[in-house]
Amino acid sequence: MTPPQDAASEAAPASPPALPEALPTGGSEALPGPLVGVDWLARRLGAPGLVLFDASVGAHRGAAHRIPGARPFDLDGALSDHTAPAPHTMPGAPEFTEAMRVLGVADSDTVVVYDGAGVYSSARAWWMLRAMGFDRAAVLDGGLPAWTAAGLPTSPTGPTYEGPRGSFTARPRAGLLVDSATVARALTDPTATVLDARTRARFAGAAPEPRPGLRGGHMPGAVNLPFGELQDPDGRMRSAGELRATFRALTGERERLYLSCGSGVTACVLALGADLAGYEEIAVYDGSWSEWGMPSDLPVTTDL
């Protein structure tokens, strides 16, 4: 899916306000949850032990400006398995470990991830870290657009990170990223719901898929929840109560959620929303429609 356009990559003001002094607690301070606001980040930016990632994709990847000190979490590059047939496939544990070490991440660090679209691909990076056993990570609510709207400074995007290596070690958790066979079973499981984060037109097969060769429609039994419906008009995530009500309206009392989208990216926005809403049994279909929609025996329907 192509991320929405916004003004996040515009140049910073000529005379931006100074950054607030970073708190000495740095990375040792507990995160308030899987989501942090721009004020929280601004007070801690540059603190030892706090790693900031820019996980932008598509049109926002390589934008001219970034939040100062941000390192590239490149989902279109090293942080996807390019040997897999579907885009944005999760790398293996050794490859993920090496990528995090190259980016200077230690097991004791605290990580905040943002993207240039708001809350879009940053949620994918957060879920990948969680799937690899790292819980000290959060998404910046509203992303770069919220940061610039608050009048906070940006800096020119520099070269790739060239600092010291980190000591990160991946410890994969089973069940957070699942395959098509697991999703096929979930579709007939009365205790589970499969939610699809694509647009309603794509879910119905009324709009063409952006990737050539994919069938139109959706999995029989899946429920449509476009990821943007979890966000306020300004791109921030809705309140926990609103999120819970949105999920409840579609899942009833079922607490096991399997989440899909176009290529495993915006499904993670649903994962973030479900986590904020208090769900604990959450899985993301890594291949998503890029795998399921390929010509195969996997069932597809356009019935609503």
Side-chain angles (χ1 to χ4, degrees), residues 78-97:
L79 282 157
S80 290
D81 179 1
H82 296 280
T83 68
H88 300 134
T89 298
M90 180 76 183
E95 292 77 16
F96 192 84
T97 293

Side-chain angles (χ1 to χ4, degrees), residues 142-154:
L144 187 59
W147 181 268
T148 56
L152 293 162
T154 60

Side-chain angles (χ1 to χ4, degrees), residues 130-178:
R130 178 171 285 199
M132 285 295 177
F134 187 86
D135 290 328
R136 299 178 60 82
V139 171
L140 179 63
D141 199 13
L144 187 59
W147 181 268
T148 56
L152 293 162
T154 60
S155 63
T157 299
T160 57
Y161 173 75
E162 297 175 343
R165 284 175 62 88
S167 58
F168 180 95
T169 299
R171 300 171 176 86
R173 290 187 173 113
L176 272 69
L177 290 165
V178 296

Side-chain angles (χ1 to χ4, degrees), residues 137-138 186 192 206 276:
L276 292 166

